[in-house]
Structures are given as structure tokens and as C-alpha cells.
Amino acid sequence: IAVSESDAVPSAFSWVRDPEFVPPGEDGGVEKCLSHEVSSPRAGQLKGLMVVFLDSIIGTTHATAGVVRLLSPDGHTLQIIGSAALSAELKEEAENFVELECEANDMATLGRVVHASDISSCASRQHCPYASCRFKSLVAAPLESPNQPGVPLGILTLFFDAPRELASRVMNAVAAFAEMMGAAIEYTYINRESHRAERLAARRQIANDIHDSLAQALTFARMRISLLLDAIRTGNELMATKYARDVDEALESSQKSARELIADFRFELNPGGLLAALNDLVSKFREGNRIALEFQNRLVDLALPIEHEIQVYNIVREALTNIARHSGATHARLFVDATAGYYVFTVEDNGIGAHTFAPVEGHYGMLIMRERARRIGGEIRAESARGLGTRVQLFFLEPESDWRATSE
């Protein structure tokens, strides 16, 4: 399931519904949605890795089903990242159960030892409408960082159609699997951060090289324009001056482009990735504005190419900057989701609205956002109505499965 990660916003204001997203293409992207639902997990994704572990655990322990939940980036909520051996009916039952505070299956499980629980008498059992609601017991094990004992990563939960006494016999095996899963999760996180840091360092080095060569050369060329003008005045002064000024303008434009490129390559991103960077961005916005900003994240895990992360971050930052400067809003929200094979980032406010988004002299924010989206194969949708606020939505297809290999 998708569980919202949301910070409480002190006010009577509330959003009526989640942002709508209609994929581009025929039938609103139905074909894409269906193909996405039945596709196998992409290689290297944490979700796929967890499902592989679950299949092995279930086979070893003779469990009925299994669910893995990981801590969200804010460290306050648990979100399901993978499940196995669940029919549609059993999946609903399992997901409903792990959301309830029954038999220590809430956040208190984190940091505890592996334990078995009798769930046959849980209150949620009284409302199950399916004949297949047969879970009688469970074994829950905390997933922890092997290099930082006591640092929680998530919870592994196995469901059994046998009494607690029988389920408790496999606790040692579950504990061993939980230890391996914790190591795999931490390795995935560390490996991503390491590759991300290396690529960011390489980008900074490129920026330094450009600054030491191209930018300085362009500045030097501009300084020589006045000497060129003096030298050619002995000929056709009118045309020579015109051409010289044309060159001057071209050099000035090139210098500006070089500076923008340098700034882009020197960009710093939280080593924890895009979700961590967006958390930082939200915190800074709240500190500097009186607008109540709500952050709802439907993704427990997000791995994107570094170029995608940088462009998404900058688009969201620009959208939030526009809200702070021009919206007149009291509330805003950042909504992150994945649906129908697309990643979707929505920034909206309840301000005065009526923005045209047309570029005017000195203000090219929307133009720049659209260009950034284009670089990662994405699009920007912008809507604004007087009195109804403004919405800016970025969406792009999930990167191809081989992007990790080509980016390393």
C-alpha cells in the first residue's frame, strides 16, 4: 500500500483530495499502467531485493505470507516496501493488520528482539469479510543496521495460519534472515550514497576545469574587444564597430552560459538522495516563511540518476520560491508519488492564483522549469485560477532498468 508521510499543519485548513495525475497517451495511459503493474521488479531496486528475501523466508519457515516495512526518510513512519505470498484478499488483511496497534506491531517493535504474537483474537479479525482470513499468529523482527547496532531500519513480519506455539519455533531462523536483510538494506543505502558522492565530486571537478579555462578565456576575450575597436577604426568604422559589438554580445552571452553551467555542476545535494534533499528544502521553507507547508511522500524508497535528482530538486525549489514570493497563500504542499509508471511531483498552494506563466522580462522561472523537465524526459503542467491557488506538477517516466550500469 501507499502510506502518506505527512507533517501536521496547525490550522483548520485541509486539502480536500490528493493531487490528480492523468498520464499522457491514449486512454489516460491505461496500457502503461497495466504494463507497469505486471512488470517484474527492476534489478537493483530495494523493493525487488526485499521480495526475494521474503520468498526465501516463507519457504524456509513455512509461513503463510510476509511483509517488509521500512522507516520513511523522516524516521517517524513505517511504509510497506514489499510483500509476498499474498492473494488480493490476504494482502488487504495483512496490510490492514500491520497498520493497527495490535500485539506490538506498531513503531514500538523497532529496536526490540524478534518475537511471536497471537493475533487470532485481535480486534481487526472481527471485521474481515473474507473466508480466507486465516492468520492466527505472526513473528516480527526488527531490521537494524549491522554497523550501527540499535539503529532501526524497518520491520519484517511473517504471518502464519498456525498457533503461536508453532510459529515461535522458527524465531531463530527469522532472526537470522532479519540480520541479513538489515545488512542488505544498509549496503544498498551506503552504495547509493557512495556512487552519488563520487559523481557529484566528478561534476565539481568538471566545473573547476570549465572555470579555469573557458570562463577565464571568455572574460579575457571581452577585455580585448576595446582594443579591437581601436585597431579597426582606421577602416570601415561603422561596420567594424557593429561587428565588434556583435562579437562582444556573443561573448557576453557565452560567459553567462558558462557561469550557469558552472553553477549547475557545483550544485550540492544531500548525500542521502532526493527524498532527504526535499526534506531539507521543506525545513528551510518552513523556517523562512509563514506559509504552512505540508510534505506528503508516498515513496518509501527512491533511486534515480543523479541528473534526475538535481533537476527535480531545482524544479521543486523554484516552485516553492514562487509560492513564497508571489502566491499570497496561507498553505502549500509538496506531494510526491509514483503511479502508472511515472514519478509525479506536485507543488500547490491556496493563494490568489490567476498566474499566466508567460515569460516576461527578468522573470523566466517557468521557462527554466520546463527546460529542466525536458532534460530528464519529463513535462511540467501548471494550473492557476483566481482565488483557487496554483498547481505545478512535474512528471516523468521511471528511468530504464539499466540506468545504474550506464551511470557508473
Side-chain angles (χ1 to χ4, degrees), residues 124-383:
S124 67
R125 320 296 297 170
Q126 311 304 320
H127 306 291
C128 182
Y130 307 116
S132 58
C133 294
R134 63 181 187 273
F135 296 151
K136 295 181 180 179
S137 60
L138 65 78
V139 174
L143 304 176
E144 297 181 346
S145 166
N147 293 324
Q148 302 179 68
V151 175
L153 299 174
I155 298 174
L156 164 65
T157 304
L158 296 179
F159 296 93
F160 295 82
D161 56 7
R164 173 183 174 182
E165 292 73 18
L166 294 178
S168 62
R169 298 176 183 176
V170 299
M171 289 173 57
N172 289 336
V174 174
F177 272 106
E179 184 176 348
M180 289 188 292
M181 292 174 73
I185 293 168
E186 183 174 73
Y187 172 79
T188 300
Y189 288 160
I190 292 176
N191 191 48
R192 288 178 184 172
E193 291 184 10
S194 175
H195 284 298
R196 185 178 291 111
E198 291 174 2
R199 292 194 292 271
L200 286 173
R203 290 171 67 93
R204 286 193 294 271
Q205 183 59 49
I206 293 173
N208 291 335
D209 293 342
I210 293 175
H211 178 268
D212 294 340
S213 57
L214 177 60
Q216 290 188 5
L218 292 173
T219 301
F220 179 83
R222 284 203 63 213
M223 294 173 62
R224 290 297 184 270
I225 290 296
S226 59
L227 298 178
L228 174 61
L229 293 173
D230 289 338
I232 61 179
R233 281 197 183 100
T234 56
N236 188 332
E237 182 175 349
L238 182 62
M239 294 304 297
T241 301
K242 177 183 180 302
Y243 294 146
R245 287 175 177 169
D246 289 343
V247 172
D248 185 38
E249 292 175 0
L251 290 173
E252 183 178 9
S253 176
S254 298
Q255 184 183 34
K256 181 180 179 181
S257 297
R259 286 176 175 172
E260 292 175 351
L261 184 60
I262 291 169
D264 191 40
F265 274 116
R266 282 181 173 168
F267 174 78
E268 297 287 343
L269 191 71
N270 188 311
L274 179 59
L275 292 180
L278 292 180
N279 270 316
D280 294 343
L281 188 60
V282 168
S283 297
K284 290 180 182 179
F285 183 95
R286 290 170 177 162
E287 292 173 0
N289 298 278
R290 298 178 63 86
I291 301 172
L293 175 61
E294 183 178 353
F295 181 22
Q296 291 182 300
N297 170 36
R298 292 286 180 87
L299 306 178
V300 65
D301 183 60
L302 177 62
L304 293 172
I306 189 66
E307 182 67 17
H308 283 60
E309 293 188 340
I310 290 174
Q311 301 304 343
V312 171
Y313 178 88
N314 281 317
I315 290 171
V316 172
R317 180 175 62 179
E318 178 66 23
L320 290 176
T321 298
N322 289 339
I323 290 176
R325 292 178 179 175
H326 311 299
S327 71
T330 60
H331 289 73
R333 69 170 168 176
L334 166 60
F335 195 94
V336 180
D337 199 4
T339 181
Y342 287 84
Y343 286 116
V344 185
F345 298 78
T346 305
V347 181
E348 57 186 344
D349 63 69
N350 68 343
I352 57 177
H355 296 298
T356 64
F357 304 111
V360 296
E361 185 66 28
H363 299 279
Y364 303 99
M366 181 54 65
L367 193 65
I368 294 174
M369 281 194 284
R370 293 190 189 280
E371 172 59 24
R372 287 188 178 279
R374 187 193 64 78
R375 293 177 188 174
I376 57 175
E379 297 181 36
I380 296 285
R381 288 177 181 165
E383 302 173 346

